[in-house]
Each structure stands twice: as structure tokens, then as C-alpha cells.
Amino acid sequence: GNGGGIAAAEYTEVYLRHCNISFNSASQGGGLYGLKTNTIHILNSIFDSNTATSRGGAVRLDKIVNPVVIGSSSIRFNSVYSGDGSNNQGGGGIYNSDSTLTLVDSILWHNTAPIDSGDEIMLRGSTTMKIINALFGDNTNNFRGCACGVSGGSCGGSTVYCGTKSCTTTPNQCTDNGYAPSYACIDKPNPNEGVECKPTCPIPTGG
């Protein structure tokens, strides 16, 4: 079945706070599987050592109604077994299709998927992501995605996300997610990793 730890049914609401979702297994969504779920908010939680056969070692999101928020959480040592970058499978940490996701102040680390299938995140279809102050494992298989608007067929194993928002496209994403107005939005060198929100240093006006 799907959702080894949590299977969120259509139009339900899921709020996780200070939870540890670990050592579960499923076909999709080893830790959590959401299909047309109304709301998913995850804060200060851990997804550790979950496994999936095809999609989303830790988290599988599919057509979630409202924007999903994952904040101040750790997604680590999860795995998915199948995928080759062209068969719509993968996402050792997160597999997100046709859903809006904000990932903020979180860690995706040492998740694994087959080559070209996204160790940390796999995106498919009409997805939108904001990635703010996130820390990723350092390897070349972290990110895989699909062409913009592709909901079916082959993903093609693209190494560039469609829908990840930069400071240029969404300049207010720091303040929109709880940072003070004094924090600046700074694009990361790898655009797949989103942005950083950092405090600005005012120029002294007096001596």
C-alpha cells in the first residue's frame, strides 16, 4: 500500500508537530503519502530511514489542495528503490507532483534514489516550490524534475526544477514566511536549492 507511516486521504487535514516518522515502508510515501489531501503542515519533525518502492522515500505529495509547508524539519536517510529519471519514479526524500510546497529551515540529507531520479527531491507535473534556508547533501543526484506543466509521460530526468522560485520571481518570500523585513532574499549559487534569507547589515550613519 501507500503511506507506510501516514496515509492522508482525500480532503483530510494533516498537522505534524514534533513528530518522528521513522523506519516505515510502502510502495509510495514511505513516511507519508498524501493524495488530494486538503492541508499538510509539517513543523519540527523528523523523517528518518523510511523506504518506498517507487516514489517518495520519506514524503509523497500528489495534487494536494492547499500549499504544503515543511518547516524546521529533518528528512534524512530515506530511500526509494526504483527509478531511472525517465519513468516518473524516484525522490529519495520527497516526490512532489502537481502540488505547491514551501520547504523552509529544513535539512534533506543522505536520502538516496537510483541515478537520475533525485536523491533529495523529484518534481513532476505542475509543481511550485519555495526552498528557503534549506541544507542539502552534496552530490550530483540531488535534484530531478520534469518540464513545466508535464503531468504524464516521461519526465526526462531534467536536472533543473520547474517551479522553484528565485528572489527575482518571488521577492517577498522571506517576509511571507515569517522573516523580519530586515532580512534579504539571496539566491543560492545552485538555483535548485532555492534561496537564503539573511539579515542585512545597515551602514553606520554616525561616528
Side-chain angles (χ1 to χ4, degrees):
N2 297 324
I6 298 171
E10 292 186 29
Y11 309 118
T12 58
E13 296 188 351
V14 176
Y15 295 92
L16 302 181
R17 304 287 189 276
H18 302 285
C19 294
N20 190 330
I21 313 296
S22 300
F23 298 101
N24 302 286
S25 62
S27 177
Q28 300 186 62
L32 181 149
Y33 177 84
L35 173 61
K36 298 181 181 178
T37 310
N38 192 50
T39 302
I40 297 178
H41 280 198
I42 301 169
L43 295 176
N44 298 299
S45 295
I46 296 171
F47 286 78
D48 189 344
S49 302
N50 301 286
T51 60
T53 304
S54 60
R55 299 181 179 96
V59 177
R60 167 72 163 107
L61 305 171
D62 191 3
K63 300 179 180 68
I64 308 303
V65 177
N66 294 308
V68 178
V69 176
I70 300 177
S72 301
S73 296
S74 177
I75 299 174
R76 64 198 187 200
F77 300 108
N78 304 281
S79 60
V80 65
Y81 295 129
S82 63
D84 63 7
S86 63
N87 62 359
N88 298 336
Q89 297 180 354
I94 299 171
Y95 189 110
N96 179 18
S97 59
D98 299 308
S99 306
T100 297
L101 170 63
T102 296
L103 179 70
V104 58
D105 294 330
S106 294
I107 297 172
L108 281 90
W109 197 258
H110 293 298
N111 302 291
T112 58
I115 190 168
D116 292 336
S117 299
D119 282 340
E120 308 300 349
I121 300 176
M122 176 81 169
L123 297 186
R124 174 175 177 255
S126 300
T127 59
T128 298
M129 286 194 68
K130 295 176 183 175
I131 304 176
I132 302 170
N133 287 358
L135 179 64
F136 291 90
D138 185 17
N139 64 61
T140 58
N141 192 41
N142 282 345
F143 309 106
R144 287 296 181 270
C146 296
C148 291
V150 174
S151 295
S154 173
C155 277
S158 170
T159 58
V160 179
Y161 287 172
C162 172
T164 301
K165 297 301 183 181
S166 67
C167 296
T168 301
T169 59
T170 312
N172 296 325
Q173 58 184 299
C174 292
T175 53
D176 287 347
N177 286 281
Y179 288 89
S182 58
Y183 278 67
C185 183
I186 302 170
D187 289 320
K188 286 192 172 183
N190 181 347
N192 289 330
E193 295 187 2
V195 307
E196 292 181 288
C197 298
K198 291 186 173 182
T200 57
C201 297
I203 299 174
T205 58

